[in-house]
């Protein structure tokens, strides 16, 4: 190593020099600080017309501080200081202003306002500055800045800037920015004197969602002198509208799916207790409430971001144990008498509600949302709220787990056996009483888990359960008792139907319409969408 | 005059009728004739409260007819009760006339407040007492008939029927909460002034309403008692105990069910109509599913399948409610919930069943 050292150093030096010359050759010469300073000083005392020329000159200077200075000028933060004579950028209101040198960026500390003289601007200059800044950004090395520059051009299209865009388009490598550039150019072409160019531009702009493009297109569609262009613009507008409708539809679908997931979560535990066991559990909503309160309690002890992973199994346990207690204490004496079960569990629900009211106060508790669940996720132009997205995923996970538990575990096998033929299952050695208790516990536990999810969406209070009980029974009955897939389909379709109806009827009316539809539906198909067939259906 | 045999054999019923006759005489005397400072004086509040119990008892009789005798557990009977109440409330609303806050001769206050220019079509006619009185039975009856006709024809039964009746009353509640419905939205109908020209707050009017409630309950009881003692009553029990077999014997089960369900809804409507002028307000909260279920528990506590039991249960539970919500408000829901559980577990035939068992053992 030490032997070759001088040679290495020499080689590096040559390479460095080579690189330097190459760079200098490819870039235009950097403007010196002095040139910038001289131009800036002319701003003082200049009238608006000459200021505009000076802004052009500034923009043409290739100096890293130009963008900053122009921004400051546009924001009325550029000042002239007489002694020592220089141009500064000042921030702050009131008597004291913190200044920095416009050219070097050196901080000069606070001075009194009287020492400074603001360099005035008007709106015409501001738009000129914005335009010039746009073209400055266009040649920036940072793709984000380039993109911002094109977007600002889109907002404020100016035929004069078109040449710069064209030049940029020729060398641009980023495909996204290329697309934006093409759009911007088309937007400029839309006001070209040549009708054929306008027609082509209108065709290119169809289906774009940016409000400026939509505005210009609508204007062209209404008042362009050339009929062919008008027609093309009208076609483009309808294409945009179609895309907007599609987007709105996707959004509604997502809201519907998310409402559907909530309904499924609320109903799926019921599908186990009602569907598999035939027990009407009116306290189901209150078991969800217990799950939600468990979440709240966990959040009192753990940081919010960690609370949910702890709350989910805990809520499952708490609600599940409560369910087993209800089954062992009350329901097992009432098998075969569904109407009495309904009344007794309703009594339980009243007791649980009042218990929560007495222990936690009748007021709503606020459950915090973890950071990783707040915010939105953008899919192109579609923005989805993260917490609803998580709930949809959670619903799928719970459904899959439950399905696996019923299909692949020994308990699931026994549950299905007892549901199909209790006497035969007992004859085969299944302890049906134990299976009943565990099944009810499973259904209740899922209600508790659903409560954790609900705590992220609605207020957690003693009435939480009540507001879901009618809905969740509807989902189970609509889907067909004893059929998990039916519950899934029913929940999703009711959720989507609700959200589809909402825009033209309002939320409450949509709910009423859905309820009436369900009442009518049950007349037509009393056993739901997917009725059980065979002997089990006769019970 | 000889009493008909179906009434003579009904000892509990005779006791109930006698009790109704007694309070129908004693309460007015104690309220109107006994001076206000006398310890035996009944205040207007108590009279109204008793009148309210009687309306609830009539609702309970209606529920018992369909549940106890026909086996249909309706979780939506409060809907019929409330609809009857709204029909009569509309009459009372129109009677206010220019004495409302805004003084509009035709439009009720809430419509003026919502900037409505004219009366919606369904409010026409309710300024006539006879029309409103007719609607009190027709509206709930019609709803019950349409609902029952479809539901029973497609053989929706058991818990499915219970759940869709609950959905019905829930949907009605949501609908009546909307201001656009034209029934006063959240606040419902209130601020009534007078009925047939008599001021609603006068003691004599209250007593008249009370006596009317007692008469309605007695009448409702008698009609139901007569109904279940006829051949029709046997068919009802047969439907309850073995619906398919009854159908195979040639009875048109769905028609019988629809008919009785409709009649029961009309009774509930009358109960609601008598309830509103005594309480002085009707709002969508009355549609809440909880109210319907409470009516069922009155019947369960008293003993279903025995019309007297419904009356006893309604009065007892509501008395307990009045007392507990006043003295220990925290305890009321615990008590009601416990009652649901205890009655279904230990008293399947309610208080009347308990008494009958004692009698049988003695």
């Amino acid at each position: 190593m030490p032997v070759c050292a001088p040679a290495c150093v020499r080689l590096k030096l040559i390479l460095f020099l080579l690189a330097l010359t190459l760079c200098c050759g490819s870039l235009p010469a950097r403007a010196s600080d002095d040139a910038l300073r001289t131009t800036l000083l002319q701003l003082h005392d200049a009238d608006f017309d000459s200021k505009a020329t000076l802004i052009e000159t500034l923009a043409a200077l290739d100096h890293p501080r130009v963008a900053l200075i122009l921004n400051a000028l546009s924001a009325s933060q550029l000042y002239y200081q007489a002694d020592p004579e220089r141009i500064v950028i000042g921030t702050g209101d009131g008597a004291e202003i913190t200044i920095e040198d416009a050219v070097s960026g050196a901080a000069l500390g606070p001075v009194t306002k009287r020492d400074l003289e603001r360099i005035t601007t008007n709106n015409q200059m501001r738009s000129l500055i914005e335009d010039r800044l746009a073209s400055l950004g266009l040649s920036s090395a940072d793709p984000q800045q380039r993109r911002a520059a094109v977007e600002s051009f889109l907002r404020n299209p100016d035929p004069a800037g078109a040449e710069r865009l064209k030049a940029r388009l020729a060398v641009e490598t980023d495909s996204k920015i290329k697309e934006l550039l093409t759009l911007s150019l088309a937007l400029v072409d839309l006001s070209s004197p040549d009708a054929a160019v306008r027609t082509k531009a209108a065709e290119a702009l169809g289906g774009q969602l940016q409000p400026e493009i939509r505005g210009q297109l609508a204007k062209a569609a209404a008042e362009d002198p050339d009929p062919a262009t008008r027609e093309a613009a009208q076609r483009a507008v309808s294409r945009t509208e179609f895309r907007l409708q599609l987007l709105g539809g996707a959004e509604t679908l997502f809201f519907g799916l998310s409402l559907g997931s909530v309904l499924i979560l609320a109903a799926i535990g019921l599908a186990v207790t009602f569907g598999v066991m035939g027990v009407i559990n009116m306290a189901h909503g209150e078991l969800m409430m217990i799950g939600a309160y468990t979440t709240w309690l966990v959040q009192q002890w753990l940081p919010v971001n960690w609370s949910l992973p702890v709350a989910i199994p805990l809520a499952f346990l708490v609600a599940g144990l409560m369910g087993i207690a209800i089954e062992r204490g009350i329901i097992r004496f009432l098998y075969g008498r569904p109407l009495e079960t309904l009344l007794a569990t309703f009594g339980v629900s009243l007791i649980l509600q009042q218990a929560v009211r007495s222990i936690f106060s009748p007021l709503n508790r606020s459950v915090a949302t973890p950071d990783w669940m707040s915010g939105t996720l953008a899919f192109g132009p579609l923005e989805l709220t993260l917490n609803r997205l998580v709930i949809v995923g959670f619903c799928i996970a719970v459904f899959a787990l439950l399905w696996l538990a019923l299909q692949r575990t020994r308990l699931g096998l026994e549950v299905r056996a007892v549901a199909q033929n209790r006497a035969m299952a007992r004859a085969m050695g299944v302890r049906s009483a134990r299976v009943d208790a565990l099944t009810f516990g499973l259904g209740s536990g899922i209600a508790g888990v659903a409560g954790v999810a609900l705590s992220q969406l609605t207020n957690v209070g003693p009435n939480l359960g009540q507001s879901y009980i009618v809905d969740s029974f509807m989902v189970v009955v609509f889907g067909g008792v004893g059929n998990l897939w039916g519950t899934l389909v029913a929940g999703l379709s009711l959720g989507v139907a609700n959200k589809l109806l909402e825009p033209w009827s309002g939320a409450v009316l949509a709910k009423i319409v859905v309820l009436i539809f369900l009442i009518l539906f049950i007349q037509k198909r009393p056993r739901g969408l997917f009725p059980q067939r065979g002997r089990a259906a006769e019970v | 005059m000889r009493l008909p045999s179906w009434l003579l054999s009904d000892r509990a019923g005779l006791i109930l009728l006698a009790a109704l006759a007694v309070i129908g005489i004693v309460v007015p005397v104690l309220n109107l004739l006994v001076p206000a400072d006398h310890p035996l004086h009944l205040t207007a509040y108590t009279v109204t409260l008793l009148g309210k119990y009687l309306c609830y008892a009539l609702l309970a009789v209606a529920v018992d007819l369909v549940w106890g005798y026909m086996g249909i557990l309706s979780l939506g009977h409060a809907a019929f009760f409330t609809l009857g109440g709204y029909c009569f409330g509309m009459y009372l609303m129109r009677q206010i006339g220019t004495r409302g806050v805004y003084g509009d001769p035709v439009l009720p206050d809430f419509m003026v407040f919502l900037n409505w220019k004219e009366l919606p079509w369904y409010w026409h006619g309710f300024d006539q007492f006879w029309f409103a009185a007719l609607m009190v039975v027709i509206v709930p009856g019609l709803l019950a008939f349409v609902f029952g006709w479809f539901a029973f024809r497609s053989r929706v039964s058991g818990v499915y029927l219970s759940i869709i009746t609950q959905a019905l009353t829930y949907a009605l509640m949501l609908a009546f909460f909307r201001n656009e419905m034209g029934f006063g939205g959240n606040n419902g109908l209130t601020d009534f002034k007078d009925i047939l020209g008599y001021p609603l707050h006068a003691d004599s009017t209250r007593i008249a309403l009370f006596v009317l409630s007692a008469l309605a309950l007695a009448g409702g009881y008698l009609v139901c008692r007569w109904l279940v003692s006829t051949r029709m009553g046997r068919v009802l029990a047969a439907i309850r105990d073995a619906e398919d077999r009854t159908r195979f014997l040639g009875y048109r089960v769905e028609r019988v069910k629809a008919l009785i369900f409709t009649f029961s809804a009309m009774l509930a409507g009358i109960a609601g109509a008598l309830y509103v002028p005594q309480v002085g307000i009707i709002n969508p909260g009355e549609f809440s599913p909880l109210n319907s279920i409470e009516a069922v528990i009155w019947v369960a506590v008293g003993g279903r399948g025995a019309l007297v039991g419904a009356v006893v249960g309604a009065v007892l539970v509501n008395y307990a409610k009045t007392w507990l919500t006043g003295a220990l408000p925290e305890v009321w829901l615990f008590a009601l919930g416990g009652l649901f559980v205890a009655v279904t577990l230990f008293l399947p035939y309610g208080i009347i069943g308990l008494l009958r068992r004692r009698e049988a053992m003695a």
Side-chain angles (χ1 to χ4, degrees):
Chain A
M1 268 305 261
V3 183
C4 86
C8 291
V9 168
R10 203 176 312 138
L11 189 66
K12 274 183 185 164
L13 197 70
I14 292 168
L15 279 176
F16 176 71
L17 286 175
L18 201 66
L20 202 66
T21 43
L22 274 176
C23 284
C24 294
S26 65
L27 283 176
R30 291 241 131 185
S32 66
D33 286 0
D34 287 336
L36 179 61
R37 188 165 289 130
T38 341
T39 322
L40 276 179
L41 280 173
Q42 290 170 31
L43 273 173
H44 178 57
D45 292 340
D47 60 7
F48 282 129
D49 281 345
S50 34
K51 268 183 190 164
T53 331
L54 283 169
I55 288 169
E56 300 277 10
T57 323
L58 276 175
L61 284 176
D62 187 41
H63 190 278
R65 300 267 308 166
V66 166
L68 202 76
I69 293 168
L70 286 181
N71 265 324
L73 178 60
S74 172
S76 302
Q77 283 177 337
L78 203 63
Y79 296 91
Y80 169 78
Q81 197 178 21
D83 184 30
E85 190 180 43
R86 60 187 169 194
I87 300 289
V88 295
I89 296 173
T91 46
D93 290 326
E96 276 208 342
I97 292 181
T98 314
I99 56 170
E100 64 175 52
D101 190 274
V103 177
S104 66
L108 301 170
V111 294
T112 58
K113 202 174 178 178
R114 260 174 302 162
D115 295 346
L116 299 176
E117 191 180 322
R118 177 171 284 156
I119 295 175
T120 52
T121 40
N122 60 12
N123 282 338
Q124 206 180 342
M125 279 171 66
R126 284 201 183 92
S127 70
L128 178 69
I129 289 171
E130 192 180 345
D131 177 58
R132 291 304 170 266
L133 279 175
S135 52
L136 271 179
L138 269 183
S139 49
S140 156
D142 181 5
Q144 257 180 344
Q145 268 189 24
R146 287 208 301 277
R147 200 173 164 167
V150 188
E151 274 165 1
S152 98
F153 184 86
L154 254 180
R155 268 196 300 279
N156 197 2
D158 167 25
E163 286 312 311
R164 279 194 305 279
L165 292 186
K166 271 187 196 140
R168 185 67 220 174
L169 185 59
V171 292
E172 181 58 60
T173 47
D174 189 314
S175 61
K176 277 261 174 61
I177 297 175
K178 253 182 167 163
E179 201 186 306
L180 274 175
L181 280 168
T182 327
L183 279 181
S184 310
L185 285 170
L187 196 56
V188 173
D189 284 348
L190 204 56
S191 43
S192 135
D194 182 357
V197 173
R198 289 205 302 275
T199 312
K200 241 182 105 189
E203 272 161 10
L205 289 174
Q208 296 302 321
L209 299 178
Q210 285 89 337
E212 302 75 25
I213 296 183
R214 280 166 53 201
Q216 293 287 336
L217 264 184
K219 217 170 104 191
E223 36 189 81
D224 196 283
D226 179 50
T229 311
R230 239 181 359 248
E231 202 178 305
Q234 277 154 7
R235 269 201 310 276
V237 166
S238 65
R239 221 160 76 223
T240 311
E241 262 158 23
F242 176 70
R243 250 199 97 189
L244 273 177
Q245 268 174 7
L246 220 60
L247 202 66
E251 218 167 57
T252 311
L253 191 69
F254 170 68
F255 282 137
L257 285 182
S258 104
L259 177 67
S261 314
V262 172
L263 286 178
I264 291 170
L265 277 172
I268 199 167
L270 211 60
V272 173
T273 52
F274 182 37
V276 179
M277 297 176 71
V279 168
I280 306 282
N281 182 16
M282 296 295 275
H284 187 79
E286 277 60 39
L287 291 166
M288 292 199 279
M289 174 192 73
I290 287 179
Y293 271 96
T294 310
T295 318
W296 180 76
L297 273 180
V298 168
Q299 286 195 349
Q300 304 307 301
W301 298 103
L302 280 178
V304 173
N305 278 347
W306 293 98
S307 59
L308 290 195
V310 178
I312 289 168
L314 201 64
F316 182 84
L317 269 183
V318 172
L321 286 176
M322 184 68 81
I324 290 176
I326 295 173
E327 201 276 341
R328 286 289 87 184
I330 297 167
I331 291 172
R332 75 178 161 126
F333 303 109
L334 298 172
Y335 280 118
R337 290 157 62 194
L339 296 182
E340 273 88 342
T341 319
L342 191 158
L343 291 179
T345 48
F346 189 80
V348 172
S349 83
L350 291 183
I351 294 175
L352 288 178
Q353 266 177 46
Q354 186 57 42
V356 164
R357 221 170 261 144
S358 300
I359 299 172
F360 296 103
S361 102
L363 301 176
N364 283 342
R365 294 286 167 194
S366 68
V367 173
T369 305
D371 296 336
W372 48 269
M373 268 181 80
S374 32
T376 56
L377 203 62
F379 290 99
L382 197 64
E383 287 206 346
L384 307 180
T385 46
L386 210 52
N387 65 341
R388 297 203 167 258
L389 216 55
V390 170
I391 299 245
V392 173
F394 185 64
C395 166
I396 294 169
V398 169
F399 184 86
L401 276 178
L402 179 65
W403 193 79
L404 279 180
L406 283 180
Q407 297 296 322
R408 294 275 181 272
T409 64
R410 176 158 184 92
L411 176 69
L413 184 70
E414 291 182 351
V415 167
R416 284 179 294 136
V418 170
Q420 277 170 21
N421 191 330
R422 178 173 293 265
M424 188 56 80
R426 282 170 62 97
M428 305 292 280
V430 175
R431 287 152 67 195
S432 68
R434 181 174 154 274
V435 170
D436 283 338
L438 288 179
T439 315
F440 202 80
L442 178 68
S444 309
I446 293 169
V449 170
V452 179
L454 280 186
S455 73
Q456 295 300 318
L457 293 180
T458 53
N459 297 325
V460 176
N463 295 329
L464 176 93
Q466 263 189 333
S467 40
Y468 282 93
I469 190 74
V470 174
D471 288 335
S472 38
F473 267 111
M474 285 292 144
V475 170
V476 175
V477 170
F478 181 49
V481 172
N483 189 325
L484 281 189
W485 291 105
T487 307
L488 187 76
V489 173
L492 287 183
S493 42
L494 286 187
V496 172
N498 225 326
K499 288 294 171 190
L500 281 180
L501 286 175
E502 254 175 41
W504 60 268
S505 68
V508 179
L509 207 58
K511 211 166 170 187
I512 297 171
V513 170
V514 168
L515 277 177
I516 290 173
F517 162 75
L518 280 173
I519 292 174
L520 292 178
F521 177 83
I522 291 175
Q523 317 291 334
K524 200 74 202 146
R525 302 193 62 165
R527 299 283 164 196
L529 273 180
F530 306 101
Q532 272 185 327
R533 302 194 192 284
R535 231 174 240 192
E538 300 302 315
V539 183
Chain B
M1 191 185 84
R2 286 274 313 270
L3 287 173
S5 61
W6 54 266
L7 191 56
L8 265 181
S9 60
D10 174 29
R11 208 157 55 88
L14 286 175
I15 296 174
L16 172 76
L17 291 175
L20 280 176
V22 169
I23 64 161
I25 293 165
V26 170
V27 167
V29 167
L30 288 184
N31 175 250
L32 293 178
L33 299 181
V34 175
D37 49 357
H38 196 276
L40 280 177
H41 174 78
L42 274 183
T43 58
Y45 170 76
T46 320
V47 174
T48 308
L49 198 65
L50 290 174
K52 217 169 87 173
Y53 292 169
L54 294 181
C55 296
Y56 285 148
L58 187 56
L59 172 62
V61 168
V63 172
D64 195 21
L65 185 66
V66 289
W67 186 34
Y69 288 91
M70 212 164 54
I72 298 172
L73 176 57
S74 162
L75 295 184
H77 250 57
F80 306 127
F81 180 85
T82 314
L83 279 177
Y86 262 101
C87 286
F88 203 69
M90 284 158 82
Y91 162 73
L92 293 173
M93 226 43 198
R94 297 289 306 269
Q95 291 307 105
I96 296 175
T98 52
R99 285 166 293 173
V101 178
Y102 298 105
D104 192 301
V106 178
L107 296 187
D109 274 350
F110 69 86
M111 289 189 192
V112 183
F113 182 74
L114 290 174
N115 259 330
W116 291 27
K117 292 296 169 240
E118 57 185 274
L119 212 58
W121 60 269
Y122 45 82
W123 272 77
H124 286 289
F126 277 95
D127 48 342
Q128 302 294 321
F129 180 79
W130 64 268
F131 183 80
L134 213 59
M135 284 299 136
V136 159
V137 288
I138 287 181
V139 171
L142 198 65
L143 177 66
F145 181 75
V146 172
F147 183 83
W149 177 254
F150 283 111
F152 300 134
R153 210 189 45 172
S154 28
R155 306 203 185 161
V156 181
S157 59
V159 288
Y160 287 90
L161 190 84
S162 304
I163 289 172
I164 64 168
T165 50
Q166 191 179 28
L168 175 75
T169 187
Y170 187 64
L172 279 170
M173 178 174 79
L174 292 179
F176 273 69
F177 266 123
R178 288 162 48 85
N179 279 332
E180 295 83 349
M181 277 288 283
F183 295 107
N186 214 350
N187 299 322
L189 309 177
T190 186
D191 266 346
F192 309 132
K193 304 287 186 220
D194 54 24
I195 174 172
L196 285 173
Y198 299 103
L200 212 50
H201 298 285
D203 275 3
S204 54
T205 316
R206 282 170 188 272
I207 285 293
L209 284 169
F210 173 79
V211 173
L212 264 179
S213 306
L215 283 176
L217 177 57
Y221 175 80
L222 281 174
V223 175
C224 290
R225 170 55 62 197
W226 170 77
L227 199 66
V228 297
S229 70
T230 58
R231 255 182 62 145
M232 172 74 109
R234 310 251 165 82
V235 177
L236 292 189
I239 291 173
R240 175 190 65 197
D241 295 335
E243 185 172 333
D244 284 336
R245 197 176 294 183
T246 318
R247 189 173 279 125
F248 298 153
L249 284 172
Y251 290 99
R252 304 296 293 265
V253 168
E254 62 280 356
R255 289 191 188 174
V256 177
K257 277 181 159 181
L259 188 72
I260 297 300
F261 193 64
T262 307
F263 174 70
S264 165
M266 288 174 166
L267 272 188
I270 294 173
L274 285 165
Y275 173 83
V276 168
Q278 302 192 57
V279 177
I281 184 170
I282 181 84
N283 62 28
E286 298 285 337
F287 279 113
S288 106
L290 179 63
N291 283 17
S292 295
I293 297 189
E294 257 186 58
V296 169
I297 203 65
W298 304 335
V299 178
V301 168
R304 65 189 165 111
L307 295 166
V308 177
V311 175
V312 172
V315 172
L316 276 185
V317 174
N318 277 299
Y319 176 69
K321 182 178 185 174
T322 311
W323 175 65
L324 272 180
T325 46
L328 300 160
E330 291 261 297
V331 177
W332 164 241
L333 276 186
F334 283 127
L336 186 66
L339 205 59
F340 273 97
V341 176
V343 166
T344 44
L345 282 185
F346 306 115
L347 280 180
Y349 295 101
I351 297 173
I352 291 290
L354 201 68
L355 292 176
R356 283 199 184 142
R357 207 162 56 197
R358 284 268 165 76
E359 234 166 67
M361 282 198 301

